[in-house]
Amino acid sequence: MAGGERIRLYQPGSIMGYKRGKSNQTNHTSLIKIDGVNSKPETKFYLGKRIAYIYKAKKERKGSKFRVIWGKVTRAHGNIGAIRAKFRKNLPPISLGGRVRVMLYPSAI
């Protein structure tokens, strides 16, 4: 590894929305589209991985205005490479369309 080379420990993704049916939506399960994942078999690698939704708050806590809501990939959703995730606290509606980091740990390989 050359000096100054950065190693990324996450894969970026987008929040598509909440899991829902025709008339009901379940806020405790979020749908995430991971960048570069385009099929259901490709999602298998990400099952059980941690997800971080990072946002900025007005008030500073512990020396930082950035906060995080942690979640976990639970299963695949559909055939386009989307996944379902559950977060410790339900994601707020303003997060829809926002970015998340899918961490590459815990690793099974």
Side-chain angles (χ1 to χ4, degrees):
M1 182 172 100
E5 185 180 346
R6 299 195 66 173
I7 298 173
R8 190 179 69 207
L9 294 175
Y10 64 90
Q11 182 69 13
S14 300
I15 301 169
M16 298 188 335
Y18 302 120
K19 181 182 150 224
R20 58 170 299 149
K22 184 179 175 188
S23 58
N24 297 327
Q25 96 177 358
T26 54
N27 300 337
H28 57 76
T29 304
S30 301
L31 305 178
I32 312 285
K33 182 71 177 91
I34 304 171
D35 296 356
V37 178
N38 298 314
S39 66
K40 194 170 195 172
E42 292 174 24
T43 62
K44 202 167 192 176
F45 171 78
Y46 293 97
L47 298 183
K49 299 283 191 272
R50 297 266 165 221
I51 302 179
Y53 170 65
I54 300 168
Y55 63 100
K56 196 173 184 181
K58 285 188 176 182
K59 206 172 213 178
E60 199 169 297
R61 277 194 192 162
K62 296 182 183 174
S64 175
K65 288 188 176 183
F66 290 100
R67 309 220 179 124
V68 64
I69 300 176
W70 287 98
K72 189 197 291 190
V73 178
T74 55
R75 56 173 290 181
H77 180 83
N79 295 314
I80 61 161
I83 54 108
R84 294 184 198 172
K86 289 203 173 196
F87 288 81
R88 287 185 185 161
K89 295 189 109 181
N90 296 346
L91 290 180
I94 200 162
S95 70
L96 302 183
R99 305 291 285 164
V100 292
R101 294 179 177 186
V102 182
M103 301 300 175
L104 298 180
Y105 55 82
S107 178
I109 58 170

